[in-house]
mmCIF file of all heavy atoms in Angstrom:
data_model
loop_
_atom_site.group_PDB
_atom_site.id
_atom_site.type_symbol
_atom_site.label_atom_id
_atom_site.label_comp_id
_atom_site.label_asym_id
_atom_site.label_seq_id
_atom_site.Cartn_x
_atom_site.Cartn_y
_atom_site.Cartn_z
ATOM 1 N N THR G 14 112.805 113.707 94.722
ATOM 2 C CA THR G 14 112.724 112.247 94.806
ATOM 3 C C THR G 14 113.140 111.607 93.492
ATOM 4 O O THR G 14 113.898 110.623 93.470
ATOM 5 C CB THR G 14 111.291 111.817 95.166
ATOM 6 O OG1 THR G 14 110.925 112.379 96.426
ATOM 7 C CG2 THR G 14 111.178 110.294 95.238
ATOM 8 N N ARG G 15 112.656 112.170 92.400
ATOM 9 C CA ARG G 15 113.012 111.637 91.083
ATOM 10 C C ARG G 15 114.515 111.756 90.826
ATOM 11 O O ARG G 15 115.140 110.833 90.314
ATOM 12 C CB ARG G 15 112.231 112.361 89.982
ATOM 13 C CG ARG G 15 112.574 111.855 88.585
ATOM 14 C CD ARG G 15 111.544 112.228 87.559
ATOM 15 N NE ARG G 15 111.449 113.673 87.344
ATOM 16 C CZ ARG G 15 110.617 114.225 86.465
ATOM 17 N NH1 ARG G 15 109.789 113.458 85.758
ATOM 18 N NH2 ARG G 15 110.579 115.536 86.307
ATOM 19 N N LYS G 16 115.079 112.894 91.181
ATOM 20 C CA LYS G 16 116.522 113.091 90.988
ATOM 21 C C LYS G 16 117.339 112.118 91.827
ATOM 22 O O LYS G 16 118.345 111.572 91.365
ATOM 23 C CB LYS G 16 116.918 114.528 91.337
ATOM 24 C CG LYS G 16 118.397 114.835 91.075
ATOM 25 C CD LYS G 16 118.748 116.263 91.414
ATOM 26 C CE LYS G 16 120.203 116.566 91.034
ATOM 27 N NZ LYS G 16 121.180 115.667 91.692
ATOM 28 N N ALA G 17 116.905 111.886 93.060
ATOM 29 C CA ALA G 17 117.614 110.940 93.922
ATOM 30 C C ALA G 17 117.611 109.539 93.316
ATOM 31 O O ALA G 17 118.636 108.834 93.331
ATOM 32 C CB ALA G 17 116.987 110.918 95.311
ATOM 33 N N ALA G 18 116.474 109.141 92.770
ATOM 34 C CA ALA G 18 116.370 107.821 92.146
ATOM 35 C C ALA G 18 117.204 107.754 90.871
ATOM 36 O O ALA G 18 117.877 106.739 90.609
ATOM 37 C CB ALA G 18 114.913 107.505 91.834
ATOM 38 N N ARG G 19 117.179 108.825 90.082
ATOM 39 C CA ARG G 19 117.956 108.851 88.849
ATOM 40 C C ARG G 19 119.460 108.784 89.138
ATOM 41 O O ARG G 19 120.187 108.012 88.518
ATOM 42 C CB ARG G 19 117.642 110.122 88.051
ATOM 43 C CG ARG G 19 118.396 110.204 86.717
ATOM 44 C CD ARG G 19 118.175 111.532 86.030
ATOM 45 N NE ARG G 19 116.770 111.733 85.714
ATOM 46 C CZ ARG G 19 116.082 112.814 86.057
ATOM 47 N NH1 ARG G 19 116.659 113.782 86.752
ATOM 48 N NH2 ARG G 19 114.819 112.920 85.706
ATOM 49 N N ASP G 20 119.897 109.578 90.113
ATOM 50 C CA ASP G 20 121.318 109.585 90.464
ATOM 51 C C ASP G 20 121.763 108.222 90.995
ATOM 52 O O ASP G 20 122.846 107.730 90.657
ATOM 53 C CB ASP G 20 121.604 110.662 91.511
ATOM 54 C CG ASP G 20 121.451 112.072 90.958
ATOM 55 O OD1 ASP G 20 121.396 112.222 89.716
ATOM 56 O OD2 ASP G 20 121.381 113.017 91.777
ATOM 57 N N PHE G 21 120.919 107.615 91.823
ATOM 58 C CA PHE G 21 121.246 106.302 92.362
ATOM 59 C C PHE G 21 121.337 105.263 91.244
ATOM 60 O O PHE G 21 122.273 104.447 91.214
ATOM 61 C CB PHE G 21 120.193 105.862 93.377
ATOM 62 C CG PHE G 21 120.362 104.440 93.827
ATOM 63 C CD1 PHE G 21 121.280 104.106 94.801
ATOM 64 C CD2 PHE G 21 119.607 103.421 93.247
ATOM 65 C CE1 PHE G 21 121.457 102.788 95.199
ATOM 66 C CE2 PHE G 21 119.774 102.103 93.641
ATOM 67 C CZ PHE G 21 120.704 101.788 94.618
ATOM 68 N N ALA G 22 120.372 105.284 90.336
ATOM 69 C CA ALA G 22 120.349 104.296 89.247
ATOM 70 C C ALA G 22 121.605 104.385 88.394
ATOM 71 O O ALA G 22 122.208 103.361 88.027
ATOM 72 C CB ALA G 22 119.110 104.492 88.390
ATOM 73 N N ARG G 23 122.028 105.600 88.076
ATOM 74 C CA ARG G 23 123.200 105.771 87.219
ATOM 75 C C ARG G 23 124.501 105.448 87.950
ATOM 76 O O ARG G 23 125.437 104.904 87.348
ATOM 77 C CB ARG G 23 123.226 107.202 86.682
ATOM 78 C CG ARG G 23 122.074 107.474 85.709
ATOM 79 C CD ARG G 23 122.036 108.924 85.267
ATOM 80 N NE ARG G 23 120.940 109.154 84.317
ATOM 81 C CZ ARG G 23 120.613 110.345 83.825
ATOM 82 N NH1 ARG G 23 121.319 111.418 84.194
ATOM 83 N NH2 ARG G 23 119.612 110.469 82.984
ATOM 84 N N ALA G 24 124.556 105.778 89.245
ATOM 85 C CA ALA G 24 125.790 105.559 90.005
ATOM 86 C C ALA G 24 125.925 104.136 90.534
ATOM 87 O O ALA G 24 127.031 103.586 90.578
ATOM 88 C CB ALA G 24 125.859 106.546 91.171
ATOM 89 N N GLU G 25 124.798 103.523 90.928
ATOM 90 C CA GLU G 25 124.856 102.238 91.624
ATOM 91 C C GLU G 25 124.312 101.048 90.826
ATOM 92 O O GLU G 25 124.792 99.927 90.989
ATOM 93 C CB GLU G 25 124.090 102.334 92.955
ATOM 94 C CG GLU G 25 124.600 103.408 93.896
ATOM 95 C CD GLU G 25 125.973 103.096 94.472
ATOM 96 O OE1 GLU G 25 126.410 101.931 94.395
ATOM 97 O OE2 GLU G 25 126.610 104.030 94.995
ATOM 98 N N LEU G 26 123.309 101.280 89.992
ATOM 99 C CA LEU G 26 122.712 100.169 89.248
ATOM 100 C C LEU G 26 123.394 99.919 87.908
ATOM 101 O O LEU G 26 123.541 98.774 87.479
ATOM 102 C CB LEU G 26 121.218 100.414 89.015
ATOM 103 C CG LEU G 26 120.318 100.450 90.243
ATOM 104 C CD1 LEU G 26 118.867 100.645 89.819
ATOM 105 C CD2 LEU G 26 120.460 99.176 91.071
ATOM 106 N N LEU G 27 123.791 100.992 87.238
ATOM 107 C CA LEU G 27 124.386 100.835 85.904
ATOM 108 C C LEU G 27 125.690 100.039 85.915
ATOM 109 O O LEU G 27 125.845 99.123 85.109
ATOM 110 C CB LEU G 27 124.601 102.214 85.273
ATOM 111 C CG LEU G 27 125.105 102.218 83.825
ATOM 112 C CD1 LEU G 27 124.165 101.436 82.917
ATOM 113 C CD2 LEU G 27 125.276 103.655 83.323
ATOM 114 N N PRO G 28 126.632 100.321 86.818
ATOM 115 C CA PRO G 28 127.851 99.503 86.851
ATOM 116 C C PRO G 28 127.519 98.039 87.174
ATOM 117 O O PRO G 28 126.897 97.743 88.189
ATOM 118 C CB PRO G 28 128.676 100.142 87.977
ATOM 119 C CG PRO G 28 128.168 101.536 88.088
ATOM 120 C CD PRO G 28 126.697 101.427 87.803
ATOM 121 N N GLY G 29 127.907 97.147 86.304
ATOM 122 C CA GLY G 29 127.698 95.718 86.559
ATOM 123 C C GLY G 29 126.345 95.185 86.145
ATOM 124 O O GLY G 29 126.063 93.994 86.330
#
Side-chain angles (χ1 to χ4, degrees):
T14 300
R15 179 162 65 179
K16 184 179 185 302
R19 182 186 298 128
D20 291 345
F21 172 81
R23 292 175 179 176
E25 302 291 344
L26 295 182
L27 185 57

